[in-house]
Amino acid sequence: MSDTKVYKNFINGKWVESSSGKTFENRNPANTDEVVGVFQKSNADDVNQALTAAAEAYKKWRLVPAPKRGELLYRVASKMWARKEEISRDMTREMGKVIAETRGDTQEAIDMTYYMAGEGRRLFGQTTPSEMPNKFNMTIRQPLGVCSFITPWNFPIAIPAWKTMPALICGNTVVIKPATDTPLSVAHMMEVFEEEGIPAGVVNMVTGSGGTVGTALINDDRVRVVSFTGSTEIGRKVSEGCAPNFKHCCLEMGGKNVQIVMDDANLELAVEGALWGAFGTTGQRCTATSRLIIHEKVHDKMVEMLKAQAEKIKVGNGLDETVKMGPCINQGQLDTVLSYIDIGQKGGARLVTGGERLTGGDYDKGFFVKPTIFTGVTQKMRIWREEIFGPVLSVGTFKTFDQAIEMANDTAYGLSAAIYTQDINKAYTAMRDVYTGIFYVNAPTIGAETHLPFGGTKETGNGHREAATAALDVFSEWKSVYVDFSGKIQRAQIDNQ
Ligand code: NAD
């Protein structure tokens, strides 16, 4: 414990302790003996300081030309690239996903930073004719001010970067509260900003609980945008907190994503996709494949193939390059997964493989569970309907394409869906009729790229999208500008009849 590094909050360009005087430990979910770091257990006073710094910094940052803001982001992206391996290894230590995936997570943050750096020379508005002579019309994007971010643990640097980079390029300032399980990755992001000379107060990090730090970030009147990624349950609270004074509120929440497999599908590819979608990141992706529906003609064959492959997945510490699946994030999530396995069995689903915690040796120090597959899952069962957020795949079956579409849409969520088929007509029909924010053809439900909008329908989101230029719409507001150079009053809709 004495050798463990103590990380501070990053407020107004300085690393500072919480005025609470309290800290919390961040432990490795693959080996709970290892304390990854000690972090500030912050309070409302710390949030107040960070928001004061962000509000002050905004006065100047909004006036920095966007291409110049972009130049800083280019340097930040290069530095993240230079530190990619270190950031990724620390991410595996704090969060458990395998090193190949944490490298991907860091790469996603780098990609987003380069992308938004480029937007510094675009941020295009429109010029458009006026209905009047000698009048010029255009639209410009304007920043909003202070943005607060509340982020989850499953993409510890990618999601914070998805929010921070578009906010900054638009001219806003930022206070971020990372998930309590993964503050180190955001601390690394702050270090990179500091190393590249971001002006004091433009980005700030306050670590601590959702109830205390998160609530203070939502309620403060100086905040103009709250961007939240996490569970639908907490997202609803965030939305309610933002409503009284009309803060912009961007919510990215849960999923119950589906892969449809038609009888003409390339089954090997479909199996590979389902396993990667269901067990990548230990099933802890918002886009994870948690429902698999297979045409009855190929159901038994595909289940057999899935079982054989799932049992070969090596589970363990993600720093071992040969390991393919890491632990659950914490005891609470492990308990949730095990309770859903119980619910599945009691509800009448058939356990095909997995279904238990891994124990013995090093497994006893972490939150490991076997890749688990249920078949015979029907639409009424809880394991069909509720997000589990763990390595549990619920398999159902169908007779007709229309039935598959109906089953795919039978969920409260709407993040991601996939179809495996060789029939282009069915692929396009499913693309049109499955009501999600993301859709894949012959590819798993996971694997978003940063230059396409990211988000979901129904209880997954509230209409906004992250990533791509869509993110700019969260972090800027349109201003329509009319310039009349006629030298006289011209009344719209009246003088041009
Ligand atoms: P969570 O909702 O428990 O926590 C998310 C964040 O909210 C954390 O930083 C947490 O500290 C904070 N928080 C908790 N209570 C709060 C409160 N009362 N007020 C303000 N903030 C509070 O979610 P999680 O367990 O960290 O992440 C898993 C969930 O996130 C899953 O439901 C998953 O689907 C979702 N997720 C969605 C996306 C997406 O883009 N749609 C991406 C990743 C994760």
Side-chain angles (χ1 to χ4, degrees), residues 150-154 159 177-179 210-211 214-215 218 228-231 234 237 252-255 286 387 389 415 454 460:
I150 300 170
T151 54
W153 43 262
N154 64 339
I159 290 177
K177 187 208 91 62
T215 303
I218 296 161
F228 166 87
T229 301
S231 62
I234 303 295
K237 287 189 190 164
E252 295 293 344
M253 301 174 287
C286 49
E387 184 180 46
F389 225 57
L415 187 52
F454 185 94
T460 296

Side-chain angles (χ1 to χ4, degrees), residues 8-9 16-22 40-43 46 207:
K8 298 178 182 171
N9 286 332
V16 291
E17 286 176 2
S18 165
S19 60
S20 73
K22 294 181 186 158
Q40 305 301 307
K41 194 171 188 178
S42 309
N43 57 22
D46 303 314
T207 57

Side-chain angles (χ1 to χ4, degrees), residues 336-351 372-378 381-384 386 388 392-394:
T336 301
V337 170
L338 294 175
S339 80
Y340 272 106
I341 289 171
D342 192 43
I343 288 165
Q345 282 175 301
K346 288 189 177 140
R350 190 170 81 84
L351 183 66
T372 297
I373 301 175
F374 280 107
T375 55
V377 180
T378 61
M381 289 183 190
R382 284 183 64 192
I383 59 167
W384 172 279
E386 296 171 21
I388 300 172
V392 180
L393 180 63
S394 298

Side-chain angles (χ1 to χ4, degrees), residues 236-255:
R236 191 168 279 117
K237 287 189 190 164
V238 175
S239 179
E240 286 164 4
C242 289
N245 59 0
F246 309 108
K247 290 187 180 99
H248 286 215
C249 174
C250 172
L251 304 173
E252 295 293 344
M253 301 174 287

Side-chain angles (χ1 to χ4, degrees), residues 383-410:
I383 59 167
W384 172 279
R385 310 205 74 80
E386 296 171 21
E387 184 180 46
I388 300 172
F389 225 57
V392 180
L393 180 63
S394 298
V395 182
T397 186
F398 61 89
K399 288 184 198 310
T400 65
F401 177 70
D402 287 350
Q403 193 188 353
I405 300 293
E406 187 277 320
M407 289 171 81
N409 282 327
D410 182 26

Side-chain angles (χ1 to χ4, degrees), residues 56-257:
E56 192 55 34
Y58 175 65
K59 293 176 189 164
K60 287 192 179 152
W61 181 248
R62 77 181 181 91
L63 299 175
V64 174
K68 289 281 163 204
R69 296 196 292 254
E71 282 168 22
L72 189 133
L73 292 194
Y74 277 123
R75 298 202 305 273
V76 167
S78 303
K79 181 56 70 73
M80 276 202 266
W81 172 257
R83 290 185 56 181
K84 179 174 169 182
E85 190 60 17
E86 173 208 348
I87 291 171
S88 307
R89 295 187 78 79
D90 274 353
M91 197 188 303
T92 294
R93 288 169 61 228
E94 76 168 343
M95 179 286 163
K97 68 183 169 184
V98 299
I99 184 71
E101 291 190 48
T102 52
R103 286 182 191 127
D105 195 310
T106 311
Q107 186 60 47
E108 202 167 322
I110 294 165
D111 293 345
M112 181 57 79
T113 309
Y114 275 125
Y115 183 90
M116 288 299 162
E119 282 306 304
R121 287 197 180 267
R122 286 184 288 269
L123 288 182
F124 297 134
Q126 292 177 319
T127 59
T128 178
S130 168
E131 64 186 45
M132 304 293 191
N134 299 324
K135 198 175 170 193
F136 178 84
N137 295 349
M138 63 183 164
T139 60
I140 58 170
R141 288 187 185 274
Q142 56 189 335
L144 287 98
V146 178
C147 305
S148 66
F149 300 154
I150 300 170
T151 54
W153 43 262
N154 64 339
F155 279 83
I157 200 164
I159 290 177
W162 282 12
K163 298 182 190 301
T164 303
M165 306 313 169
L168 293 182
I169 202 67
C170 289
N172 306 282
T173 55
V174 165
V175 180
I176 180 164
K177 187 208 91 62
T180 41
D181 283 308
T182 54
L184 180 54
S185 298
V186 175
H188 284 327
M189 193 167 95
M190 294 296 127
E191 288 161 7
V192 172
F193 276 122
E194 183 189 29
E195 285 159 16
E196 294 308 323
I198 193 143
V202 171
V203 290
N204 306 271
M205 176 190 77
V206 181
T207 57
S209 75
T212 304
V213 178
T215 303
L217 282 174
I218 296 161
N219 290 343
D220 195 286
D221 285 348
R222 288 167 292 183
V223 172
R224 294 315 314 152
V225 182
V226 179
S227 182
F228 166 87
T229 301
S231 62
T232 299
E233 181 196 352
I234 303 295
R236 191 168 279 117
K237 287 189 190 164
V238 175
S239 179
E240 286 164 4
C242 289
N245 59 0
F246 309 108
K247 290 187 180 99
H248 286 215
C249 174
C250 172
L251 304 173
E252 295 293 344
M253 301 174 287
K256 192 72 190 170
N257 313 291

Side-chain angles (χ1 to χ4, degrees), residues 358-372:
L358 279 153
T359 51
D362 287 346
Y363 285 137
D364 288 337
K365 294 183 178 175
F367 307 116
F368 297 98
V369 65
K370 286 184 180 169
T372 297

